[in-house]
Amino acid sequence: KAGVTQTPRYLIKTRGQQVTLSCSPISGHRSVSWYQQTPGQGLQFLFEYFSETQRNKGNFPGRFSGRQFSNSRSEMNVSTLELGDSALYLCASSLAGRGARTDTQYFGPGTRLTVL
Amino acid sequence: AQSVTQPDIHITVSEGASLELRCNYSYGATPYLFWYVQSPGQGLQLLLKYFSGDTLVQGIKGFEAEFKRSQSSFNLRKPSVHWSDAAEYFCAVATRSNDYKLSFGAGTTVTVRA
């Protein structure tokens, strides 16, 4: 079974631009979660989507948004990029049956975003 | 406040030696515990997980972890380290009350010397 895939793997943008990242979950997984990883803040939860609805949200400004499609693929968007948005953005998928076993998250390779 | 602590930022170990990485958590509810590994430039790979039952959990790549409720710990061990084990290791906690969102420790970087 194919793992979680993320595209693109690398992105370079300038301040003020916007960016869209894509995540395809493991086949059959209905939940997609997004995390930001930076050297200073570590791994931080952004949001989770399930059945095209945002189910959980972390403590990030409204510039960070996401969506999920009917095939469970998800995109996240960051508008008006700031230098501090430079990070590795990780996507994780799970079955999301809302039990510990079915909510085990499997991660993709990440998208490295650099903001200049 | 809920937190996950990995006290060791960096550990250096000789190839063939044993390895133990510490993880402590502070959660009121019953936690579900995970260890992930991240190689440079890569995503996170799940090593093992604990939900209930036997407190000694076996994972991939020869790793195991022991859940000690009395010490609020979930330490990761490997009896004999290989050079390919050099990576960053993250302990993570999820709880039902928090909708299974993962909270991560700061990570421990493992360097393996020949």
Side-chain angles (χ1 to χ4, degrees), chain A residues 9 35 37 43 45 56 88 90 98-101 104-109, chain B residues 32 34 36 38 41-44 46 49 51-52 90 99-102 104:
Chain A
R9 292 294 310 278
Y35 294 82
Q37 185 179 24
L43 280 152
F45 172 78
N56 274 309
L88 181 67
L90 292 162
R98 274 304 176 256
R101 285 176 175 75
T104 298
Q105 294 184 35
Y106 297 89
F107 285 80
Chain B
Y32 302 104
F34 306 83
Y36 287 88
Q38 186 178 37
Q42 301 298 314
L44 301 175
L46 179 66
K49 55 193 176 184
F51 298 138
S52 63
F90 293 92
D99 285 335
Y100 303 101
K101 285 186 294 186
L102 287 173
F104 286 90

PDB file of all heavy atoms in Angstrom, chain A residues 9 35 37 43 45 56 88 90 98-101 104-109, chain B residues 32 34 36 38 41-44 46 49 51-52 90 99-102 104:
ATOM      1  N   ARG A   9       7.946  18.739  -2.918  1.00  0.00           N
ATOM      2  CA  ARG A   9       8.854  18.436  -1.809  1.00  0.00           C
ATOM      3  C   ARG A   9       9.593  19.688  -1.343  1.00  0.00           C
ATOM      4  O   ARG A   9       9.922  19.822  -0.169  1.00  0.00           O
ATOM      5  CB  ARG A   9       9.862  17.375  -2.227  1.00  0.00           C
ATOM      6  CG  ARG A   9       9.274  16.000  -2.456  1.00  0.00           C
ATOM      7  CD  ARG A   9       8.734  15.375  -1.149  1.00  0.00           C
ATOM      8  NE  ARG A   9       9.693  15.422  -0.069  1.00  0.00           N
ATOM      9  CZ  ARG A   9      10.673  14.559   0.106  1.00  0.00           C
ATOM     10  NH1 ARG A   9      10.820  13.552  -0.734  1.00  0.00           N
ATOM     11  NH2 ARG A   9      11.506  14.674   1.134  1.00  0.00           N
ATOM     12  N   TYR A  35       1.089  19.417  10.178  1.00  0.00           N
ATOM     13  CA  TYR A  35       1.984  19.870  11.233  1.00  0.00           C
ATOM     14  C   TYR A  35       3.049  20.768  10.634  1.00  0.00           C
ATOM     15  O   TYR A  35       3.479  20.573   9.496  1.00  0.00           O
ATOM     16  CB  TYR A  35       2.681  18.686  11.915  1.00  0.00           C
ATOM     17  CG  TYR A  35       1.749  17.771  12.677  1.00  0.00           C
ATOM     18  CD1 TYR A  35       1.035  16.790  12.012  1.00  0.00           C
ATOM     19  CD2 TYR A  35       1.590  17.897  14.053  1.00  0.00           C
ATOM     20  CE1 TYR A  35       0.171  15.949  12.703  1.00  0.00           C
ATOM     21  CE2 TYR A  35       0.737  17.056  14.754  1.00  0.00           C
ATOM     22  CZ  TYR A  35       0.029  16.094  14.065  1.00  0.00           C
ATOM     23  OH  TYR A  35      -0.832  15.263  14.744  1.00  0.00           O
ATOM     24  N   GLN A  37       6.952  22.020  11.295  1.00  0.00           N
ATOM     25  CA  GLN A  37       8.156  21.705  12.057  1.00  0.00           C
ATOM     26  C   GLN A  37       9.215  22.763  11.811  1.00  0.00           C
ATOM     27  O   GLN A  37       9.632  22.992  10.665  1.00  0.00           O
ATOM     28  CB  GLN A  37       8.706  20.319  11.677  1.00  0.00           C
ATOM     29  CG  GLN A  37       9.885  19.890  12.541  1.00  0.00           C
ATOM     30  CD  GLN A  37      10.408  18.513  12.179  1.00  0.00           C
ATOM     31  OE1 GLN A  37      10.242  18.041  11.071  1.00  0.00           O
ATOM     32  NE2 GLN A  37      11.032  17.842  13.141  1.00  0.00           N
ATOM     33  N   LEU A  43       7.599  20.475  16.524  1.00  0.00           N
ATOM     34  CA  LEU A  43       6.451  20.009  15.754  1.00  0.00           C
ATOM     35  C   LEU A  43       5.172  20.555  16.364  1.00  0.00           C
ATOM     36  O   LEU A  43       4.866  20.303  17.513  1.00  0.00           O
ATOM     37  CB  LEU A  43       6.398  18.478  15.771  1.00  0.00           C
ATOM     38  CG  LEU A  43       7.333  17.775  14.812  1.00  0.00           C
ATOM     39  CD1 LEU A  43       7.720  16.415  15.333  1.00  0.00           C
ATOM     40  CD2 LEU A  43       6.671  17.649  13.443  1.00  0.00           C
ATOM     41  N   PHE A  45       0.927  21.204  15.759  1.00  0.00           N
ATOM     42  CA  PHE A  45      -0.272  20.814  15.042  1.00  0.00           C
ATOM     43  C   PHE A  45      -0.948  22.030  14.425  1.00  0.00           C
ATOM     44  O   PHE A  45      -1.169  23.040  15.100  1.00  0.00           O
ATOM     45  CB  PHE A  45      -1.212  20.122  16.033  1.00  0.00           C
ATOM     46  CG  PHE A  45      -2.582  19.818  15.513  1.00  0.00           C
ATOM     47  CD1 PHE A  45      -2.793  18.734  14.677  1.00  0.00           C
ATOM     48  CD2 PHE A  45      -3.663  20.611  15.873  1.00  0.00           C
ATOM     49  CE1 PHE A  45      -4.060  18.443  14.211  1.00  0.00           C
ATOM     50  CE2 PHE A  45      -4.934  20.327  15.406  1.00  0.00           C
ATOM     51  CZ  PHE A  45      -5.133  19.240  14.574  1.00  0.00           C
ATOM     52  N   ASN A  56     -10.318  19.653  13.803  1.00  0.00           N
ATOM     53  CA  ASN A  56      -9.499  20.192  14.879  1.00  0.00           C
ATOM     54  C   ASN A  56      -8.620  21.289  14.327  1.00  0.00           C
ATOM     55  O   ASN A  56      -8.242  21.250  13.142  1.00  0.00           O
ATOM     56  CB  ASN A  56      -8.591  19.101  15.477  1.00  0.00           C
ATOM     57  CG  ASN A  56      -9.290  18.319  16.555  1.00  0.00           C
ATOM     58  OD1 ASN A  56      -9.859  18.885  17.475  1.00  0.00           O
ATOM     59  ND2 ASN A  56      -9.244  17.009  16.439  1.00  0.00           N
ATOM     60  N   LEU A  88       9.352  22.920   7.656  1.00  0.00           N
ATOM     61  CA  LEU A  88       8.960  21.662   7.025  1.00  0.00           C
ATOM     62  C   LEU A  88       7.500  21.431   7.384  1.00  0.00           C
ATOM     63  O   LEU A  88       7.147  21.415   8.569  1.00  0.00           O
ATOM     64  CB  LEU A  88       9.826  20.514   7.531  1.00  0.00           C
ATOM     65  CG  LEU A  88       9.543  19.130   6.928  1.00  0.00           C
ATOM     66  CD1 LEU A  88       9.922  19.101   5.449  1.00  0.00           C
ATOM     67  CD2 LEU A  88      10.317  18.046   7.684  1.00  0.00           C
ATOM     68  N   LEU A  90       4.487  18.938   7.424  1.00  0.00           N
ATOM     69  CA  LEU A  90       4.239  17.500   7.395  1.00  0.00           C
ATOM     70  C   LEU A  90       2.752  17.214   7.392  1.00  0.00           C
ATOM     71  O   LEU A  90       1.981  17.850   8.114  1.00  0.00           O
ATOM     72  CB  LEU A  90       4.889  16.835   8.608  1.00  0.00           C
ATOM     73  CG  LEU A  90       6.408  16.837   8.635  1.00  0.00           C
ATOM     74  CD1 LEU A  90       6.931  16.560  10.033  1.00  0.00           C
ATOM     75  CD2 LEU A  90       6.965  15.823   7.655  1.00  0.00           C
ATOM     76  N   ARG A  98     -11.801   7.236  15.382  1.00  0.00           N
ATOM     77  CA  ARG A  98     -11.891   7.802  16.720  1.00  0.00           C
ATOM     78  C   ARG A  98     -11.701   6.746  17.794  1.00  0.00           C
ATOM     79  O   ARG A  98     -12.454   6.644  18.753  1.00  0.00           O
ATOM     80  CB  ARG A  98     -13.179   8.608  16.946  1.00  0.00           C
ATOM     81  CG  ARG A  98     -13.041  10.050  16.479  1.00  0.00           C
ATOM     82  CD  ARG A  98     -11.875  10.707  17.163  1.00  0.00           C
ATOM     83  NE  ARG A  98     -11.580  12.054  16.729  1.00  0.00           N
ATOM     84  CZ  ARG A  98     -10.564  12.368  15.934  1.00  0.00           C
ATOM     85  NH1 ARG A  98      -9.782  11.436  15.461  1.00  0.00           N
ATOM     86  NH2 ARG A  98     -10.334  13.619  15.600  1.00  0.00           N
ATOM     87  N   GLY A  99     -10.703   5.928  17.602  1.00  0.00           N
ATOM     88  CA  GLY A  99     -10.197   5.032  18.631  1.00  0.00           C
ATOM     89  C   GLY A  99      -8.692   5.088  18.494  1.00  0.00           C
ATOM     90  O   GLY A  99      -8.196   5.409  17.438  1.00  0.00           O
ATOM     91  N   ALA A 100      -7.978   4.792  19.530  1.00  0.00           N
ATOM     92  CA  ALA A 100      -6.533   4.969  19.490  1.00  0.00           C
ATOM     93  C   ALA A 100      -5.899   4.222  18.319  1.00  0.00           C
ATOM     94  O   ALA A 100      -5.029   4.739  17.633  1.00  0.00           O
ATOM     95  CB  ALA A 100      -5.923   4.525  20.806  1.00  0.00           C
ATOM     96  N   ARG A 101      -6.335   2.997  18.106  1.00  0.00           N
ATOM     97  CA  ARG A 101      -5.708   2.223  17.036  1.00  0.00           C
ATOM     98  C   ARG A 101      -6.004   2.808  15.677  1.00  0.00           C
ATOM     99  O   ARG A 101      -5.137   2.878  14.821  1.00  0.00           O
ATOM    100  CB  ARG A 101      -6.177   0.767  17.104  1.00  0.00           C
ATOM    101  CG  ARG A 101      -5.527   0.005  18.242  1.00  0.00           C
ATOM    102  CD  ARG A 101      -6.038  -1.390  18.397  1.00  0.00           C
ATOM    103  NE  ARG A 101      -5.287  -2.086  19.426  1.00  0.00           N
ATOM    104  CZ  ARG A 101      -5.439  -1.885  20.720  1.00  0.00           C
ATOM    105  NH1 ARG A 101      -6.338  -1.015  21.130  1.00  0.00           N
ATOM    106  NH2 ARG A 101      -4.726  -2.550  21.603  1.00  0.00           N
ATOM    107  N   THR A 104      -3.989   6.144  14.752  1.00  0.00           N
ATOM    108  CA  THR A 104      -2.539   6.208  14.603  1.00  0.00           C
ATOM    109  C   THR A 104      -2.209   6.935  13.314  1.00  0.00           C
ATOM    110  O   THR A 104      -2.751   6.627  12.254  1.00  0.00           O
ATOM    111  CB  THR A 104      -1.946   4.789  14.571  1.00  0.00           C
ATOM    112  OG1 THR A 104      -2.223   4.158  15.811  1.00  0.00           O
ATOM    113  CG2 THR A 104      -0.453   4.842  14.342  1.00  0.00           C
ATOM    114  N   GLN A 105      -1.322   7.905  13.421  1.00  0.00           N
ATOM    115  CA  GLN A 105      -1.010   8.760  12.278  1.00  0.00           C
ATOM    116  C   GLN A 105       0.262   8.327  11.582  1.00  0.00           C
ATOM    117  O   GLN A 105       1.269   8.042  12.220  1.00  0.00           O
ATOM    118  CB  GLN A 105      -0.898  10.214  12.748  1.00  0.00           C
ATOM    119  CG  GLN A 105      -2.233  10.752  13.251  1.00  0.00           C
ATOM    120  CD  GLN A 105      -2.168  12.197  13.636  1.00  0.00           C
ATOM    121  OE1 GLN A 105      -1.448  12.984  13.026  1.00  0.00           O
ATOM    122  NE2 GLN A 105      -2.923  12.567  14.648  1.00  0.00           N
ATOM    123  N   TYR A 106       0.192   8.330  10.259  1.00  0.00           N
ATOM    124  CA  TYR A 106       1.330   7.984   9.412  1.00  0.00           C
ATOM    125  C   TYR A 106       1.694   9.211   8.593  1.00  0.00           C
ATOM    126  O   TYR A 106       0.826   9.815   7.961  1.00  0.00           O
ATOM    127  CB  TYR A 106       0.970   6.787   8.525  1.00  0.00           C
ATOM    128  CG  TYR A 106       0.671   5.547   9.337  1.00  0.00           C
ATOM    129  CD1 TYR A 106      -0.617   5.281   9.785  1.00  0.00           C
ATOM    130  CD2 TYR A 106       1.685   4.665   9.698  1.00  0.00           C
ATOM    131  CE1 TYR A 106      -0.892   4.173  10.565  1.00  0.00           C
ATOM    132  CE2 TYR A 106       1.428   3.547  10.473  1.00  0.00           C
ATOM    133  CZ  TYR A 106       0.133   3.308  10.910  1.00  0.00           C
ATOM    134  OH  TYR A 106      -0.123   2.217  11.683  1.00  0.00           O
ATOM    135  N   PHE A 107       2.967   9.526   8.599  1.00  0.00           N
ATOM    136  CA  PHE A 107       3.434  10.793   8.045  1.00  0.00           C
ATOM    137  C   PHE A 107       3.997  10.656   6.646  1.00  0.00           C
ATOM    138  O   PHE A 107       4.576   9.640   6.274  1.00  0.00           O
ATOM    139  CB  PHE A 107       4.512  11.395   8.953  1.00  0.00           C
ATOM    140  CG  PHE A 107       3.964  12.002  10.210  1.00  0.00           C
ATOM    141  CD1 PHE A 107       3.621  11.205  11.287  1.00  0.00           C
ATOM    142  CD2 PHE A 107       3.779  13.382  10.312  1.00  0.00           C
ATOM    143  CE1 PHE A 107       3.100  11.763  12.453  1.00  0.00           C
ATOM    144  CE2 PHE A 107       3.268  13.942  11.471  1.00  0.00           C
ATOM    145  CZ  PHE A 107       2.924  13.130  12.533  1.00  0.00           C
ATOM    146  N   GLY A 108       3.847  11.735   5.898  1.00  0.00           N
ATOM    147  CA  GLY A 108       4.492  11.864   4.607  1.00  0.00           C
ATOM    148  C   GLY A 108       5.893  12.421   4.759  1.00  0.00           C
ATOM    149  O   GLY A 108       6.340  12.726   5.880  1.00  0.00           O
ATOM    150  N   PRO A 109       6.612  12.600   3.634  1.00  0.00           N
ATOM    151  CA  PRO A 109       8.000  13.077   3.686  1.00  0.00           C
ATOM    152  C   PRO A 109       8.122  14.575   3.958  1.00  0.00           C
ATOM    153  O   PRO A 109       9.199  15.051   4.289  1.00  0.00           O
ATOM    154  CB  PRO A 109       8.529  12.743   2.295  1.00  0.00           C
ATOM    155  CG  PRO A 109       7.322  12.757   1.437  1.00  0.00           C
ATOM    156  CD  PRO A 109       6.203  12.263   2.276  1.00  0.00           C
TER     157      PRO A 109
ATOM    158  N   TYR B  32      -2.065   7.778  25.059  1.00  0.00           N
ATOM    159  CA  TYR B  32      -1.615   6.829  24.060  1.00  0.00           C
ATOM    160  C   TYR B  32      -0.241   7.345  23.610  1.00  0.00           C
ATOM    161  O   TYR B  32      -0.073   8.527  23.328  1.00  0.00           O
ATOM    162  CB  TYR B  32      -2.605   6.754  22.908  1.00  0.00           C
ATOM    163  CG  TYR B  32      -3.979   6.352  23.387  1.00  0.00           C
ATOM    164  CD1 TYR B  32      -4.995   7.288  23.498  1.00  0.00           C
ATOM    165  CD2 TYR B  32      -4.244   5.037  23.764  1.00  0.00           C
ATOM    166  CE1 TYR B  32      -6.253   6.928  23.971  1.00  0.00           C
ATOM    167  CE2 TYR B  32      -5.491   4.677  24.233  1.00  0.00           C
ATOM    168  CZ  TYR B  32      -6.485   5.622  24.337  1.00  0.00           C
ATOM    169  OH  TYR B  32      -7.715   5.260  24.811  1.00  0.00           O
ATOM    170  N   PHE B  34       3.594   7.167  21.584  1.00  0.00           N
ATOM    171  CA  PHE B  34       4.216   6.833  20.309  1.00  0.00           C
ATOM    172  C   PHE B  34       5.684   7.259  20.325  1.00  0.00           C
ATOM    173  O   PHE B  34       6.064   8.234  20.971  1.00  0.00           O
ATOM    174  CB  PHE B  34       3.513   7.578  19.158  1.00  0.00           C
ATOM    175  CG  PHE B  34       2.021   7.372  19.097  1.00  0.00           C
ATOM    176  CD1 PHE B  34       1.177   8.121  19.891  1.00  0.00           C
ATOM    177  CD2 PHE B  34       1.483   6.439  18.237  1.00  0.00           C
ATOM    178  CE1 PHE B  34      -0.201   7.949  19.843  1.00  0.00           C
ATOM    179  CE2 PHE B  34       0.105   6.258  18.166  1.00  0.00           C
ATOM    180  CZ  PHE B  34      -0.733   7.012  18.966  1.00  0.00           C
ATOM    181  N   TYR B  36       8.397   8.157  17.187  1.00  0.00           N
ATOM    182  CA  TYR B  36       8.649   8.337  15.764  1.00  0.00           C
ATOM    183  C   TYR B  36      10.134   8.630  15.566  1.00  0.00           C
ATOM    184  O   TYR B  36      10.789   9.206  16.442  1.00  0.00           O
ATOM    185  CB  TYR B  36       7.848   9.512  15.208  1.00  0.00           C
ATOM    186  CG  TYR B  36       6.353   9.278  15.056  1.00  0.00           C
ATOM    187  CD1 TYR B  36       5.482   9.542  16.113  1.00  0.00           C
ATOM    188  CD2 TYR B  36       5.824   8.831  13.856  1.00  0.00           C
ATOM    189  CE1 TYR B  36       4.114   9.354  15.963  1.00  0.00           C
ATOM    190  CE2 TYR B  36       4.461   8.646  13.697  1.00  0.00           C
ATOM    191  CZ  TYR B  36       3.610   8.898  14.754  1.00  0.00           C
ATOM    192  OH  TYR B  36       2.252   8.721  14.596  1.00  0.00           O
ATOM    193  N   GLN B  38      12.931  10.349  12.685  1.00  0.00           N
ATOM    194  CA  GLN B  38      13.055  11.215  11.506  1.00  0.00           C
ATOM    195  C   GLN B  38      14.505  11.260  11.054  1.00  0.00           C
ATOM    196  O   GLN B  38      15.366  11.745  11.774  1.00  0.00           O
ATOM    197  CB  GLN B  38      12.552  12.625  11.830  1.00  0.00           C
ATOM    198  CG  GLN B  38      12.520  13.550  10.625  1.00  0.00           C
ATOM    199  CD  GLN B  38      11.960  14.917  10.981  1.00  0.00           C
ATOM    200  OE1 GLN B  38      12.195  15.455  12.059  1.00  0.00           O
ATOM    201  NE2 GLN B  38      11.186  15.500  10.070  1.00  0.00           N
ATOM    202  N   GLY B  41      16.003  15.387   6.540  1.00  0.00           N
ATOM    203  CA  GLY B  41      15.261  15.729   5.339  1.00  0.00           C
ATOM    204  C   GLY B  41      14.057  14.845   5.052  1.00  0.00           C
ATOM    205  O   GLY B  41      13.466  14.965   3.972  1.00  0.00           O
ATOM    206  N   GLN B  42      13.715  14.014   6.010  1.00  0.00           N
ATOM    207  CA  GLN B  42      12.608  13.070   5.786  1.00  0.00           C
ATOM    208  C   GLN B  42      11.436  13.350   6.712  1.00  0.00           C
ATOM    209  O   GLN B  42      11.534  14.168   7.626  1.00  0.00           O
ATOM    210  CB  GLN B  42      13.099  11.634   6.012  1.00  0.00           C
ATOM    211  CG  GLN B  42      14.238  11.227   5.110  1.00  0.00           C
ATOM    212  CD  GLN B  42      13.857  11.260   3.650  1.00  0.00           C
ATOM    213  OE1 GLN B  42      12.805  10.769   3.248  1.00  0.00           O
ATOM    214  NE2 GLN B  42      14.703  11.873   2.835  1.00  0.00           N
ATOM    215  N   GLY B  43      10.351  12.641   6.460  1.00  0.00           N
ATOM    216  CA  GLY B  43       9.203  12.726   7.348  1.00  0.00           C
ATOM    217  C   GLY B  43       9.400  11.842   8.566  1.00  0.00           C
ATOM    218  O   GLY B  43      10.500  11.343   8.830  1.00  0.00           O
ATOM    219  N   LEU B  44       8.331  11.644   9.320  1.00  0.00           N
ATOM    220  CA  LEU B  44       8.380  10.847  10.540  1.00  0.00           C
ATOM    221  C   LEU B  44       7.939   9.417  10.258  1.00  0.00           C
ATOM    222  O   LEU B  44       6.919   9.201   9.618  1.00  0.00           O
ATOM    223  CB  LEU B  44       7.458  11.455  11.598  1.00  0.00           C
ATOM    224  CG  LEU B  44       7.757  12.885  12.016  1.00  0.00           C
ATOM    225  CD1 LEU B  44       6.703  13.397  12.973  1.00  0.00           C
ATOM    226  CD2 LEU B  44       9.123  12.974  12.660  1.00  0.00           C
ATOM    227  N   LEU B  46       6.838   5.851  12.090  1.00  0.00           N
ATOM    228  CA  LEU B  46       6.381   5.298  13.351  1.00  0.00           C
ATOM    229  C   LEU B  46       7.235   4.091  13.742  1.00  0.00           C
ATOM    230  O   LEU B  46       7.357   3.135  12.977  1.00  0.00           O
ATOM    231  CB  LEU B  46       4.912   4.881  13.232  1.00  0.00           C
ATOM    232  CG  LEU B  46       4.272   4.258  14.467  1.00  0.00           C
ATOM    233  CD1 LEU B  46       4.171   5.286  15.595  1.00  0.00           C
ATOM    234  CD2 LEU B  46       2.883   3.705  14.128  1.00  0.00           C
ATOM    235  N   LYS B  49       4.101   1.937  19.267  1.00  0.00           N
ATOM    236  CA  LYS B  49       3.017   2.651  19.930  1.00  0.00           C
ATOM    237  C   LYS B  49       2.510   1.814  21.100  1.00  0.00           C
ATOM    238  O   LYS B  49       2.622   0.587  21.101  1.00  0.00           O
ATOM    239  CB  LYS B  49       1.885   2.937  18.948  1.00  0.00           C
ATOM    240  CG  LYS B  49       1.363   1.677  18.252  1.00  0.00           C
ATOM    241  CD  LYS B  49       0.470   2.032  17.084  1.00  0.00           C
ATOM    242  CE  LYS B  49       0.043   0.761  16.343  1.00  0.00           C
ATOM    243  NZ  LYS B  49      -0.760   1.064  15.132  1.00  0.00           N
ATOM    244  N   PHE B  51      -0.984   1.435  23.544  1.00  0.00           N
ATOM    245  CA  PHE B  51      -2.349   1.832  23.839  1.00  0.00           C
ATOM    246  C   PHE B  51      -2.800   1.272  25.179  1.00  0.00           C
ATOM    247  O   PHE B  51      -3.391   1.964  25.987  1.00  0.00           O
ATOM    248  CB  PHE B  51      -3.301   1.343  22.741  1.00  0.00           C
ATOM    249  CG  PHE B  51      -3.013   1.923  21.391  1.00  0.00           C
ATOM    250  CD1 PHE B  51      -3.066   1.132  20.259  1.00  0.00           C
ATOM    251  CD2 PHE B  51      -2.687   3.253  21.245  1.00  0.00           C
ATOM    252  CE1 PHE B  51      -2.798   1.668  19.012  1.00  0.00           C
ATOM    253  CE2 PHE B  51      -2.417   3.795  20.004  1.00  0.00           C
ATOM    254  CZ  PHE B  51      -2.473   3.005  18.874  1.00  0.00           C
ATOM    255  N   SER B  52      -2.520  -0.017  25.399  1.00  0.00           N
ATOM    256  CA  SER B  52      -2.943  -0.674  26.632  1.00  0.00           C
ATOM    257  C   SER B  52      -2.275  -2.042  26.679  1.00  0.00           C
ATOM    258  O   SER B  52      -1.581  -2.443  25.738  1.00  0.00           O
ATOM    259  CB  SER B  52      -4.468  -0.829  26.679  1.00  0.00           C
ATOM    260  OG  SER B  52      -4.911  -1.667  25.624  1.00  0.00           O
ATOM    261  N   PHE B  90      11.401  11.252  18.189  1.00  0.00           N
ATOM    262  CA  PHE B  90      10.349  12.039  18.832  1.00  0.00           C
ATOM    263  C   PHE B  90       9.397  11.136  19.583  1.00  0.00           C
ATOM    264  O   PHE B  90       8.887  10.148  19.038  1.00  0.00           O
ATOM    265  CB  PHE B  90       9.553  12.834  17.794  1.00  0.00           C
ATOM    266  CG  PHE B  90      10.338  13.913  17.110  1.00  0.00           C
ATOM    267  CD1 PHE B  90      11.009  13.661  15.929  1.00  0.00           C
ATOM    268  CD2 PHE B  90      10.411  15.176  17.668  1.00  0.00           C
ATOM    269  CE1 PHE B  90      11.739  14.654  15.292  1.00  0.00           C
ATOM    270  CE2 PHE B  90      11.128  16.182  17.045  1.00  0.00           C
ATOM    271  CZ  PHE B  90      11.801  15.922  15.857  1.00  0.00           C
ATOM    272  N   ASP B  99      -8.998  14.480  21.289  1.00  0.00           N
ATOM    273  CA  ASP B  99      -9.295  14.032  19.930  1.00  0.00           C
ATOM    274  C   ASP B  99      -8.092  13.412  19.234  1.00  0.00           C
ATOM    275  O   ASP B  99      -7.956  13.531  18.014  1.00  0.00           O
ATOM    276  CB  ASP B  99      -9.843  15.177  19.076  1.00  0.00           C
ATOM    277  CG  ASP B  99     -11.282  15.492  19.422  1.00  0.00           C
ATOM    278  OD1 ASP B  99     -11.972  14.587  19.932  1.00  0.00           O
ATOM    279  OD2 ASP B  99     -11.717  16.639  19.198  1.00  0.00           O
ATOM    280  N   TYR B 100      -7.245  12.806  19.992  1.00  0.00           N
ATOM    281  CA  TYR B 100      -6.101  12.064  19.455  1.00  0.00           C
ATOM    282  C   TYR B 100      -5.115  12.956  18.705  1.00  0.00           C
ATOM    283  O   TYR B 100      -4.330  12.452  17.898  1.00  0.00           O
ATOM    284  CB  TYR B 100      -6.571  10.905  18.564  1.00  0.00           C
ATOM    285  CG  TYR B 100      -7.484   9.973  19.295  1.00  0.00           C
ATOM    286  CD1 TYR B 100      -8.863  10.027  19.114  1.00  0.00           C
ATOM    287  CD2 TYR B 100      -6.974   9.044  20.202  1.00  0.00           C
ATOM    288  CE1 TYR B 100      -9.715   9.175  19.812  1.00  0.00           C
ATOM    289  CE2 TYR B 100      -7.820   8.202  20.900  1.00  0.00           C
ATOM    290  CZ  TYR B 100      -9.181   8.270  20.699  1.00  0.00           C
ATOM    291  OH  TYR B 100     -10.011   7.433  21.386  1.00  0.00           O
ATOM    292  N   LYS B 101      -5.133  14.249  18.955  1.00  0.00           N
ATOM    293  CA  LYS B 101      -4.099  15.103  18.365  1.00  0.00           C
ATOM    294  C   LYS B 101      -2.760  14.729  18.983  1.00  0.00           C
ATOM    295  O   LYS B 101      -2.644  14.543  20.182  1.00  0.00           O
ATOM    296  CB  LYS B 101      -4.391  16.578  18.653  1.00  0.00           C
ATOM    297  CG  LYS B 101      -5.504  17.168  17.830  1.00  0.00           C
ATOM    298  CD  LYS B 101      -5.625  18.659  18.075  1.00  0.00           C
ATOM    299  CE  LYS B 101      -6.068  18.958  19.486  1.00  0.00           C
ATOM    300  NZ  LYS B 101      -6.329  20.400  19.682  1.00  0.00           N
ATOM    301  N   LEU B 102      -1.741  14.671  18.164  1.00  0.00           N
ATOM    302  CA  LEU B 102      -0.418  14.330  18.671  1.00  0.00           C
ATOM    303  C   LEU B 102       0.270  15.560  19.254  1.00  0.00           C
ATOM    304  O   LEU B 102       0.313  16.611  18.626  1.00  0.00           O
ATOM    305  CB  LEU B 102       0.451  13.762  17.552  1.00  0.00           C
ATOM    306  CG  LEU B 102       0.128  12.343  17.082  1.00  0.00           C
ATOM    307  CD1 LEU B 102       0.954  12.002  15.854  1.00  0.00           C
ATOM    308  CD2 LEU B 102       0.409  11.329  18.193  1.00  0.00           C
ATOM    309  N   PHE B 104       4.009  16.504  20.614  1.00  0.00           N
ATOM    310  CA  PHE B 104       5.357  15.960  20.480  1.00  0.00           C
ATOM    311  C   PHE B 104       6.304  16.538  21.516  1.00  0.00           C
ATOM    312  O   PHE B 104       6.189  17.703  21.924  1.00  0.00           O
ATOM    313  CB  PHE B 104       5.915  16.283  19.094  1.00  0.00           C
ATOM    314  CG  PHE B 104       5.319  15.480  17.984  1.00  0.00           C
ATOM    315  CD1 PHE B 104       4.198  15.932  17.311  1.00  0.00           C
ATOM    316  CD2 PHE B 104       5.887  14.274  17.602  1.00  0.00           C
ATOM    317  CE1 PHE B 104       3.642  15.186  16.282  1.00  0.00           C
ATOM    318  CE2 PHE B 104       5.343  13.530  16.575  1.00  0.00           C
ATOM    319  CZ  PHE B 104       4.220  13.988  15.913  1.00  0.00           C
TER     320      PHE B 104
END
